[in-house]
Amino acid sequence: MRSHLMLVVLFSLAISACVPFPHSVTLLPQIEGEINASGVPIEGAKLYLSSTSKTPCSEASQPIAVTNQQGRFHIEAIKALRWIYVPMVAPISVSFYTLCVAHSGSPGIAYRGDVAPYRENPHVVLSCDLERPRQLALPDSSKLEVVCERRKAQ
């Protein structure tokens, strides 16, 4: 009887395409860059990770990085342990994140990026100018004002 129950459970998992085993997923890639205002490095700018897309940068949280004297910052990749793997979804999974920057006022949107949780994600290098925001077109045809541009990693 016990072996029949085990077979039913395994068959159910196979049909649902869920495989129970521990694995690591990437929630945020490694990010580094510099923040300036018309070429002048900004020291002490705080960077935040926003979890909401409707009103990004509106919630208060702890900064994940602060710029140094040269206006540079570094954020380590954030990974998490998961217990259920879904092979049919994993190759196409994509999550989005919003990086916010605050200096002399309320936080504004620095960068909007994506991460593939089940794949190796490239190192993100940003160049940010607080004095020169630009418009970013979103998939829903709306626009978002951001201050950072992605550069090629060196």
Side-chain angles (χ1 to χ4, degrees):
M1 177 67 175
R2 192 170 173 100
S3 62
H4 291 296
L5 180 61
M6 185 60 108
L7 283 173
V8 169
V9 169
L10 289 174
F11 182 72
S12 299
L13 285 172
I15 288 176
S16 68
C18 294
V19 181
F21 77 92
H23 61 284
S24 176
V25 295
T26 303
L27 303 177
L28 183 72
Q30 179 179 328
I31 304 171
E32 69 176 88
E34 77 262 346
I35 297 177
N36 68 69
S38 297
V40 178
I42 300 293
E43 180 181 5
K46 295 178 175 123
L47 289 113
Y48 301 88
L49 189 60
S50 178
S51 58
T52 177
S53 60
K54 292 194 186 236
T55 55
C57 305
S58 63
E59 74 270 7
S61 62
Q62 293 285 51
I64 59 171
V66 178
T67 57
N68 64 15
Q69 285 183 319
Q70 293 80 34
R72 296 190 178 281
F73 65 90
H74 179 85
I75 302 167
E76 287 295 326
I78 298 174
K79 296 192 179 260
L81 182 64
R82 297 289 188 253
W83 292 94
I84 300 293
Y85 180 73
V86 185
M88 296 181 72
V89 175
I92 58 171
S93 290
V94 176
S95 299
F96 297 94
Y97 62 91
T98 302
L99 193 61
C100 306
V101 63
H103 178 70
S104 304
S106 59
I109 298 170
Y111 181 74
R112 177 96 184 249
D114 58 64
V115 60
Y118 294 95
R119 294 189 298 245
E120 195 61 36
N121 286 275
H123 181 118
V124 175
V125 179
L126 299 175
S127 179
C128 312
D129 189 339
L130 300 179
E131 298 293 321
R132 295 196 177 105
R134 62 183 185 83
Q135 295 290 315
L136 175 68
L138 298 177
D140 66 357
S141 300
S142 63
K143 295 198 184 290
L144 194 63
E145 192 170 90
V146 296
V147 295
C148 297
E149 289 184 303
R150 189 168 179 170
R151 299 184 304 175
K152 289 208 181 251
Q154 299 171 11

